[in-house]
């Protein structure tokens, strides 16, 4: 049997009537970077919280680094490093002291402590500012410090919950490089949650798209995009339904979907077919407001599987979180 | 033990770093000490008190300082909860009991330091302590007050969602505990039923214990004070760690 870094079986978490995570099952191989992609409130963080033993599942099982999250809590905790979605540093302490606190909590022997702390602070380029109070740090520096801290006890699996949320694009790129290097040089298995398509695309070997607590697709980024069917033509039209009925009869189209204000057409060699589509439309007197062609992104994948864009989901995602919060009280 | 020490070290570091808080929390006790002490010294005579009313309330003000600092230190874990730091501690492979004990001893340490500051100020305004062993007895009582009420603060904080209830705690928990304790008046002078309330207040035994240590006399036998306060301390540490274990973030 293959040894997995993480195995999840029928994991479910309910808060009152609200099911945050619904029958989740997946495996993550050792050395893999695995992404949980979905809108806010999809159940990503809840899944992370269960895998890191912070939250007890309502039902189902999971193993992290071979340890049962219910029976071997302490072993699981020793095997993982976590960077939480929300900040979790002590601002009144210096970077070094935050690291030292962590090292002591994880019982790293005194003789190794200092060396390791300095090494990791160098890795995230904070060694020169190690004696500054964390409250003087910028958002990006704090994030880097949290990542360094998460690695201090040499975890087998690193959990990154929305690691680049709220960071500027430059810092984000920087962090992506670190994460990539960590995985390649140290062979650490990484599981990360994100609602940035680009982030998942760039970092993850495999991606699970989560919506309403369930996995709706799980594969490599390439294969997920292939599912959409080659290139994508998006047409905005006031008569999208009649456009749909006309276009569907054309040859070479792998799929076609009608959305709120547009229709998307998945097909190979879109450049060849676009003229044909426009012709057919004008012959039938259907107005076209705009038309665009692009290579599929994960955004399209999400749209393909859920029928919604991830942005439309933001608002209702927040609604769900609020409901969840209320139920927990 | 290492873990308890780690948490303790953090509390003490944070405390020594926030000078404003250190000085700020001296304000109220010093104010009471000076205003009540000097204001009432000539009009209030307490039987058996050689050092006058101001001498009488010094142990009370020291207790007050320890009480407030320790309760705040316990409730402070709400901040850790809100600023996320608590997660970092709770997800580590250590038991919650160790975390709770570290936090408790850390809070108690800072509370005793605050108490000692009032003590030093009292020496400056003319307090004469009865003996060195008596001083050590007073320290023991300060530590017991510190530990029990930090633990009590942690117990309260474990059940609180955020800082909104803080005002409530100050007005309906901390002040009554202080007010009923006989810090500012001899409990003998209270009418019957209020006196029983005062005797139910654990801080009463702390105040009396410190009073015995510093002044050499007290209304309640110091041995009884010690037994009752120790019992209360054990109870609170148990209660605090029980609630802290069930804390949700």
């Amino acid at each position: 049997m293959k040894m997995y870094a993480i195995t999840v079986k029928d994991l479910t978490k309910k808060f009152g009537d609200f099911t945050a995570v619904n029958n989740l099952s997946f495996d993550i191989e050792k050395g893999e970077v695995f992404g949980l992609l979905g809108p806010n409130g999809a159940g990503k963080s809840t899944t992370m919280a269960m895998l890191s033993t912070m939250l007890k599942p309502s039902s189902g099982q999971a193993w992290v680094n071979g340890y049962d999250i219910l029976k071997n809590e302490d072993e699981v905790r020793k095997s993982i490093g976590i960077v939480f979605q929300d900040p979790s540093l002590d601002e009144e302490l210096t970077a070094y002291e935050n690291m030292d606190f962590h090292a002591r909590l994880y019982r790293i022997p005194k003789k190794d402590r200092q060396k390791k702390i300095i090494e990791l602070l160098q890795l995230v380029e904070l060694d020169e500012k190690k004696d500054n109070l964390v409250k003087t740090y910028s958002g990006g520096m704090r994030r880097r410090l949290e990542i360094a801290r998460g690695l201090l006890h040499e975890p087998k699996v690193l959990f990154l919950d929305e690691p680049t949320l709220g960071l500027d694009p430059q810092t984000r790129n920087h962090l992506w490089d670190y994460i990539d290097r960590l995985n390649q040089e140290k062979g650490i298995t990484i599981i990360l949650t994100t609602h940035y398509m680009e982030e998942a695309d760039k970092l993850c070997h495999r991606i699970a798209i989560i919506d309403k607590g369930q996995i709706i697709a799980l594969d490599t980024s390439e294969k997920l995009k292939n599912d959409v069917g080659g290139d994508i033509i998006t047409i905005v039209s006031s008569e999208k339904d009649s456009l749909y009925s006309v276009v569907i009869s054309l040859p070479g189209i792998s799929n076609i979907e009608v959305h709120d204000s547009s229709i998307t057409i998945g097909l190979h060699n879109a450049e060849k077919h676009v003229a044909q589509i426009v012709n057919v439309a004008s012959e039938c007197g259907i107005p076209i407001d705009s038309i665009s062609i692009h290579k599929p992104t994960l955004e399209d994948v999400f749209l393909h599987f859920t029928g919604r864009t991830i942005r439309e989901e933001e608002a209702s995602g927040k609604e769900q979180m609020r409901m969840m919060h209320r139920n927990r009280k | 033990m290492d873990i308890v020490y780690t948490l303790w070290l953090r509390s003490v570091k944070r405390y020594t770093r926030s000078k404003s808080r250190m000085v700020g929390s001296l304000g109220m006790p010093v104010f009471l000490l000076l205003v009540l002490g000097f204001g009432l010294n000539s009009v209030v005579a307490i039987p058996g008190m050689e050092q006058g009313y101001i001498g009488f309330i010094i142990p009370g003000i020291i207790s007050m300082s320890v009480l407030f600092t320790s309760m705040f230190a316990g409730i402070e874990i709400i901040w850790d909860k809100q600023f996320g730091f608590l997660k970092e501690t709770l997800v580590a492979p250590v038991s919650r009991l160790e975390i709770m004990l570290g936090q408790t001893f850390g809070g108690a340490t800072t509370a005793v330091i605050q108490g000692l500051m009032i003590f030093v100020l009292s020496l400056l305004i003319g307090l004469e302590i009865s003996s060195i062993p008596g001083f050590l007895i007073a320290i023991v009582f300060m530590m017991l007050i510190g530990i029990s009420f930090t633990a009590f603060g942690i117990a309260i904080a474990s059940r609180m969602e955020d800082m909104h209830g803080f005002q409530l705690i100050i007005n309906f928990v901390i002040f009554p505990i202080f007010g009923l304790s006989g810090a500012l008046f001899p409990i003998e002078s209270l009418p019957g039923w209020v006196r029983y309330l005062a005797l139910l207040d654990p801080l009463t035994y702390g105040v009396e214990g410190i009073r015995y240590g510093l002044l050499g006399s007290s209304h309640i036998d110091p041995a009884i004070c010690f037994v009752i306060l120790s019992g209360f301390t054990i109870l609170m540490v148990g209660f605090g760690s029980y609630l802290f274990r069930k804390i949700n973030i």
Side-chain angles (χ1 to χ4, degrees):
Chain A
M1 201 185 110
K2 207 172 190 172
M3 271 296 280
Y4 289 110
I6 292 181
T7 302
V8 175
K9 239 176 119 183
D10 305 324
L11 206 61
T12 301
K13 180 73 197 179
K14 287 181 183 164
F15 297 108
D17 293 336
F18 177 65
T19 307
V21 172
N22 194 358
N23 255 321
L24 224 55
S25 297
F26 58 85
D27 300 305
I28 301 177
E29 278 173 35
K30 285 192 172 161
E32 193 175 15
V33 181
F34 188 86
L36 294 173
L37 177 75
N40 291 333
K44 294 168 297 179
S45 291
T46 310
T47 306
M48 289 287 230
M50 287 191 280
L51 291 179
S52 57
T53 74
M54 302 274 288
L55 204 60
K56 294 256 175 291
S58 305
S59 64
Q61 286 172 291
W63 292 264
V64 175
N65 195 26
Y67 300 110
D68 191 318
I69 58 161
L70 287 170
K71 292 178 195 140
N72 280 319
E73 252 186 28
D74 263 15
E75 292 302 323
V76 171
R77 289 172 175 208
K78 278 179 205 158
S79 315
I80 61 174
I82 309 177
V83 176
F84 299 101
Q85 183 170 346
D86 311 312
S88 61
L89 295 163
D90 188 335
E91 303 200 344
E92 301 289 330
L93 299 182
T94 65
Y96 188 90
E97 287 167 339
N98 265 291
M99 294 289 273
D100 188 61
F101 180 83
H102 185 88
R104 288 168 187 267
L105 273 192
Y106 285 78
R107 298 190 170 87
I108 296 173
K110 200 175 175 187
K111 57 180 171 39
D112 305 334
R113 228 181 272 156
Q114 195 182 358
K115 202 177 121 244
K116 274 191 182 162
I117 293 173
I118 298 292
E119 257 176 34
L120 279 162
L121 286 176
Q122 277 166 351
L123 176 77
V124 296
E125 293 165 32
L126 286 174
D127 50 319
E128 279 167 22
K129 302 208 165 160
K130 68 180 164 60
D131 295 322
N132 293 8
L133 291 183
V134 170
K135 63 179 167 194
T136 65
Y137 275 31
S138 70
M141 288 161 78
R142 287 172 197 221
R143 225 57 186 135
R144 266 147 55 201
L145 178 59
E146 284 178 318
I147 292 181
R149 186 179 66 180
L151 293 171
L152 196 54
H153 55 284
E154 297 180 350
K156 298 282 184 284
V157 184
L158 185 63
F159 288 66
L160 301 173
D161 198 355
E162 300 275 4
T164 62
L165 191 72
L167 297 182
D168 60 79
Q170 199 190 347
T171 316
R172 184 176 297 166
N173 272 321
H174 228 72
L175 267 181
W176 287 346
D177 288 343
Y178 283 129
I179 294 169
D180 209 36
R181 251 175 54 205
L182 279 176
N183 172 250
Q184 302 206 334
E185 286 172 17
K186 305 206 175 214
I188 298 176
T189 309
I190 296 175
I191 171 167
L192 68 88
T193 73
T194 182
H195 66 276
Y196 295 121
M197 303 289 172
E198 199 192 348
E199 184 161 283
D201 206 358
K202 198 162 162 147
L203 288 175
C204 301
H205 300 147
R206 281 191 309 152
I207 297 164
I209 295 184
I210 296 197
D211 188 33
K212 295 182 176 152
Q214 281 173 309
I215 293 187
I216 49 176
L218 195 170
D219 218 319
T220 61
S221 167
E222 280 314 303
K223 284 195 182 141
L224 286 174
K225 286 177 195 167
N226 276 337
D227 280 348
V228 180
D231 301 335
I232 293 185
I233 300 179
T234 307
I235 304 173
V236 180
S237 165
S238 49
E239 289 172 40
K240 54 184 195 297
D241 293 322
S242 40
L243 184 65
Y244 174 82
S245 51
V246 176
V247 173
I248 199 159
S249 56
L250 292 174
I253 287 175
S254 28
N255 72 64
I256 176 163
E257 288 160 24
V258 182
H259 304 292
D260 288 344
S261 60
S262 61
I263 68 171
T264 55
I265 303 161
L267 73 180
H268 295 281
N269 300 324
E271 292 83 356
K272 273 188 191 166
H273 293 91
V274 67
Q276 196 183 357
I277 293 172
V278 174
N279 281 338
V280 171
S282 63
E283 273 167 27
C284 304
I286 299 167
I288 289 178
D289 296 333
S290 82
I291 185 163
S292 65
I293 305 174
H294 64 272
K295 299 280 166 202
T297 63
L298 283 172
E299 188 93 51
D300 301 306
V301 176
F302 190 82
L303 186 65
H304 173 70
F305 282 107
T306 64
R308 294 182 308 274
T309 65
I310 212 161
R311 278 176 232 301
E312 283 168 33
E313 270 294 283
E314 298 287 81
S316 58
K318 277 194 192 113
E319 270 310 306
Q320 283 180 7
M321 287 297 284
R322 272 193 212 115
M323 268 177 51
M324 215 170 92
H325 197 66
R326 245 177 273 149
N327 286 335
R328 283 170 75 174
K329 274 185 185 171
Chain B
M1 223 39 228
D2 290 356
I3 304 302
V4 176
Y5 171 72
T6 304
L7 269 299
W8 176 86
L9 189 66
R10 170 181 176 248
S11 295
V12 174
K13 261 187 193 159
R14 280 174 67 99
Y15 168 74
T16 53
R17 219 157 265 179
S18 60
K19 303 275 186 296
S20 62
R21 209 178 56 180
M22 214 187 281
V23 177
S25 47
L26 279 178
M28 176 83 126
V30 170
F31 179 76
L32 282 183
L33 182 63
L34 297 181
V35 170
L36 291 182
F38 286 121
L40 296 177
N41 203 28
S42 51
V43 283
V44 181
I46 289 165
M49 266 307 143
E50 287 159 26
Q51 301 203 28
Y53 183 65
I54 192 158
F56 176 81
I57 62 166
I58 283 172
I61 300 295
I62 291 176
S63 311
M64 171 193 186
S65 200
V66 179
L67 169 76
F68 275 66
T69 316
S70 52
M71 281 291 277
F72 289 169
I75 293 176
E76 226 181 30
I77 59 165
I78 293 262
W79 290 123
D80 281 349
K81 201 162 155 184
Q82 280 191 330
F83 289 112
F85 188 75
L86 194 60
K87 266 193 252 175
E88 148 78 359
T89 359
L90 292 187
V91 82
V94 297
S95 74
R96 294 215 171 167
L97 181 65
E98 287 171 300
I99 299 173
M100 190 275 178
L101 288 180
Q103 193 86 27
T104 304
F105 293 140
T109 306
T110 60
V112 171
I113 295 174
Q114 287 293 134
L116 285 175
M117 284 189 203
I118 300 287
F119 171 74
V120 171
L121 274 172
S122 310
L123 289 179
L124 295 180
I125 60 171
L127 171 78
E128 288 163 26
I129 58 169
S130 60
S131 64
I132 296 298
F135 171 68
L136 295 179
I137 291 175
I139 298 267
V140 169
F141 277 99
M142 282 158 73
M143 290 195 321
L144 288 176
I145 299 173
I147 294 172
S148 55
F149 284 101
T150 312
F152 186 39
I154 292 175
I156 292 174
S158 303
R159 304 291 298 182
M160 271 164 76
E161 284 284 318
D162 46 41
M163 273 314 216
H164 293 317
F166 192 61
Q167 205 62 34
L168 212 69
I169 306 290
I170 293 183
N171 288 325
F172 289 96
V173 181
I174 306 184
F175 265 107
I177 288 176
F178 167 63
L180 279 171
S181 70
L184 302 179
F185 47 79
I187 48 173
E188 268 71 37
S189 59
L190 292 170
W193 63 277
V194 193
R195 207 173 134 197
Y196 288 120
L197 276 182
L199 287 175
L200 282 177
D201 181 350
L203 189 66
T204 302
Y205 304 95
V207 172
E208 283 292 286
I210 296 177
R211 198 166 274 152
Y212 174 80
L214 294 183
L215 307 176
S217 67
S218 65
H219 294 293
I220 305 173
D221 186 337
I224 293 175
C225 291
F226 179 76
V227 170
I228 293 182
L229 195 59
S230 302
F232 176 70
T233 305
I234 293 168
L235 192 74
M236 279 303 117
V237 170
F239 182 54
S241 37
Y242 171 74
L243 289 182
F244 186 71
R245 225 181 40 182
K246 303 172 95 185
I247 203 169
N248 264 325
I249 31 173

